[in-house]
Every structure is written in C-alpha cells, then in structure tokens.
Amino acid sequence: QGAIYSSAMRNCEIKRDVKEMASRSYDVLVIGAGINGAGIARDLGLRGLRVALVEKGDFASGTSSTSTKLIHGGLRYLENFDLRLVFESCRERLILQRIAPHLVRPLSFFVPVYKGDKRPLWMVRVGLTLYDLLALFRNTHVHGLLSADEAVRQEPTLKREGLKGVVVYWDCRMDDARLCLENVISAAEVGVDVANYAEVVGLLHKGGEIVGARIVDREDKSEYEIAARMVINASGPWLDQVRSLDGPQEPVLRTTRGTHILVPRINSGSEAIYLSSGRDERLFFVIPWGEMSLIGTTDVDYSGAADAVEPTEEDITYLLEESARHLQGAGLTRSCVAAAFAGLRPLVRDKKSEHASQVSREHTLLQSPTGLLSVAGGKYTTYRAVAAQVARLVCRRLGYPARKANTDTLLLPGGIPGDFSQFLVDEKQRLLTHYAVDPMLIDRLLERYGSRAAAVLATTKNAPQLLQPVVAESSLTQLEVDYAVRFEMARTPADVLRRRTSLTLQVGQGLTELPAVARQMQRLLGVSDRQREEWEDHYRTHEVQTRENHDENRCQDH
C-alpha cells in the first residue's frame, strides 16, 4: 500500500521559520497544534491546499499530552445513550490501529463488579454486548467474563470480598503526545508550514472578513502577519480566548480538569483495571505504564486560566482513596505519587447536564460572520474524523474540488502495514546485527518511532558518541535529544523530556537529565547561557509535580 511515508526510510528536517511564513499567502491558517489542529492541517495538506499551522506552545503541549493515554470506543458514553459517538469511536479506534500501530496498541481491561455497585454484573455485560455490536465485532476480542476466583488469580490486586465477577473487554493504549506529533510531521512532509512557539495575538480583517492573523514568535518576540483566505480556530481550551480576538463572543466551552497520577506499579498483569468511584460513581482507570501505574482521571469543572491548570491535592487524594476501595495490598499513600499531571477538556456547554462527566464529548463547528471557523469539543479518538469533516467544509467554502485525503488508510510516519508485533521481532533482530547497542534501546526506539527507528539509528553512523547516555545511569541517550531537536522541532528541554520522550512521567521526572539535556540543546540551537538557565528554571517550576512529596523508599512495601 504505498502508504509508508518517506520518513520511514530517511530523516526529513522540518524547518521552523515564522518570518518566512509571513512572506507567503495561504489558503488556510490553523491555530492550535493539539490533535485536532494537527489532524486538520494534515488532512488539508493532503488535499493539496496551502496550509500554515501555528501553536503558541509546543505541539501537543496542552490537552493533547495530558490525556489518559487511551484510544477507546467510549464504553461509559453508553450510559448517556451516545450511540452514534460510540459507533464512530469504535470505527476510528480500528483505523488508528491500522495507520499508527506503533503508537496505538490493544489493551485488555478488567471491570470488577462488587456487591452493591450501581452497575450490577448483568448490566455491565449487556452494555459490553452492545459495545461489541457497535464495533461490528471488529475489536481485538469480544468481551468475556471471569468468576471472582479466576479474576483474583489473574489480578491479585483486586479485593476478593464482595466481588461478583469481572468483565473483560478491549480498547487501546496510546502515546498521546507522539500521536499528535506524528500528525504534525506528516503535515510538514506534504508541504504544510508548521511552527511551535508562535502565538496568535490578533486577527486580520478586510471588508468584514478575516484574512489572516498577527503572530508573535515567542522565541525572539518578533511580530508578523500571516495572510490566509480562511482561519481555523482549533485551540482547544483556549478556543473562547481566540474567538474573542474576532470581537465580543458568548463563551461556548465548559472546561473540566482531568488529573492523573503515576505510582509504583500496582497492576499485577498487563491489563488495565476499570474502577468506579464510591463517592460519585464516576469511572476511572488504573493502567500499566512501564514500571508505573497511571491512575485517572477526575472530571471537575474548571474556571481558571487554561495556562495555569495543574493537579490539586484534592484531585490526588480522590484518586488515591478511590483506588484503594477495590485494590488490596497496594498501600497507596501520598508519598507514593511519583508524578502527576492535569489537562483541560474543552467540552461544549450543555444546559441539560448538571455534572461535568455527563457533558457530551461530541464536537461542534462554529462559524462566525467574519469567517472564523472554530472547532469545539470532541475527543482524541475521533480526531481524524473531525479533521475530515472540517477539511470537506473548507474545500467547499474555498471552491476546491472534493479531493480525497485518504487519512483512513494512509499510514502515519512510523506506521507499517500488516502485523506490527512480528515487525518488532524481525526489525529488532535486523538492527541488532547493524548496531552494537543495548537491546532495550532498540525496543524503545521501535515502540516510539516504529519503522523510523532505523533512520533514527542511522544518524549515529558518523556520530557514534550519540549512543552514550546524557548522564551516567540514565536510559536517555544523546541520540534521542539530537533527533528530537533536528528532526522533530523540539525547542526546549520540556519538549524533549515531556513530549518527545516521557521521562517527566517517570520516577525522577527527568530532573537528573535536565542540565545535560539543556546543555546539548544549547549547542544544537545556538542559544545563550541565560536562555539555557531559563529553560531549566521553567522545567523545574512548571513541569515537575509532586516531587517534594514522593518518597520511593516508603512505597517499596506496597
């Protein structure tokens, strides 16, 4: 299927040049490079339009890197009778497994049902039967049932007392930040001009219509104007803020805070556990995450500044206490929390829904009299379908023929057709015959870059020193930093440690590696000592959560 991108075979540098973008004229300017904006830019680029994509922070630096790391059909949406959304989500889950198999991988889920639960065993089974039907039975497996004793044997962490049984079903795990980044890379490969750290501070109007935007390059503080026939607002939680640049607007968003914590591994097996809260009956997950377990999420209304969202002690306590209700031997205390993060869901206001968790995850397209198109709401799983809908609308408005982008079959960079599990085995063996490196590094590169892993390692042919760790005993190599800067537009240590890799979400949170990474990036980007110091201060202040409370030794007995 000639769908394997060129970046699977060679390295393609992406040029960041805001000044150059200001000298061009575009069909479409997309504001916001979270997953919706990145997907829209890619789709439009594949249809042949001239597109620019700008993001005021790093790619995926907002909601798109603070999710629960799942691509799912939306099992809990069945309770709200959102059958169309579940059907669409199940379809998109299958598509994403095909086009990005290195980033979207099947994961089994245990749903324990206890005596007295609001959702009895028969109800859960009926719901999952409908779930299988809406997926047209094309999920990894249909759901099954374990007796209480069988379930505890497979997952000893579950409390046996009162357990009526466990229903097993399948969804997918994902690397959210990298899935967004691969969409940006794919967009750039087909001609879209992309720039992170480029903030929209105003909209340009002519004859009562929007004709572009004023942009501030946050790296050198220069201001530019970018001309475009149409502007798309895909800024997520900042949607209303961008809409206000077009004149006074009635807010349309209801933002809710979702907090997640990482603790020493409590999942005994490879499956995730789907639990219900005792205090508000909300559902949340305990997901295996390497040597850690990721627990989340909360769903709390948030009215503060989108840039200032962070985990609260109340959220962290909620997740710890509710996890302990159904898990035995976990011994989770506040000192066990190695890292925490929070993001905002940009939900569309719904006067019918009293509780945040009841608000629909459907997206809405808003068109202003001046031509600004805003994409509100939605969920990560359905981003590709949203992008296709937006692209078709844009083509109609601009008078372009109805070309197809084929994003449902065209692989994202790193994807391969066929059996990805077998590819991992074969490609690992092949790479080990060419490179004298730690097999664990090969595993990590293959799971992160997929078919691009060979191209990543090829950069060490003339620079073998890149295979050295950034600091002694660290798993992070100089190669990964070098590649992130030269080929993935990483501009700060946070971009590398939080989004190009995930060290920020591990024990230590990347603090040991931070000075070395900052020095290497300083050399690669040619910035001053002062800039390097600002990078480090910003990372310690804004990226690191809960470190002062974490005590690894006190959690060893759990």
Side-chain angles (χ1 to χ4, degrees), residues 159 259-264 266 275-279 284-286 293-298 312-340 546 549-550 555 558:
K159 287 184 178 178
T259 294
H260 304 77
I261 59 175
L262 289 117
V263 299
I266 55 180
L275 300 175
S276 59
S277 166
R279 67 179 75 175
F284 66 100
F285 301 96
V286 180
S293 286
L294 173 66
I295 303 176
T297 178
T298 60
T312 66
E313 286 300 317
E314 183 179 4
D315 285 348
I316 292 172
T317 299
Y318 170 92
L319 292 172
L320 289 170
E321 291 181 351
E322 293 305 319
S323 299
R325 289 184 65 246
H326 294 323
L327 303 179
Q328 62 183 359
L332 293 177
T333 63
R334 182 62 179 80
S335 62
C336 293
V337 179
T546 78
N549 299 295
H550 178 62
C555 290
H558 87 278

Side-chain angles (χ1 to χ4, degrees), residues 468-472 474-479 481 513 516-517 519-520:
Q468 297 300 313
V470 293
V471 292
S474 174
S475 63
L476 182 67
T477 62
Q478 296 176 38
L479 165 64
V481 179
E513 291 84 357
V517 170
R519 286 193 297 272
Q520 185 179 350

Side-chain angles (χ1 to χ4, degrees), residues 236-240 243 250-255 346-349 376-377:
W238 293 269
L239 184 109
D240 284 329
R243 289 175 66 239
E250 184 72 22
V252 298
L253 292 186
R254 177 178 179 176
T255 52
L347 306 179
V348 179
R349 288 177 182 266

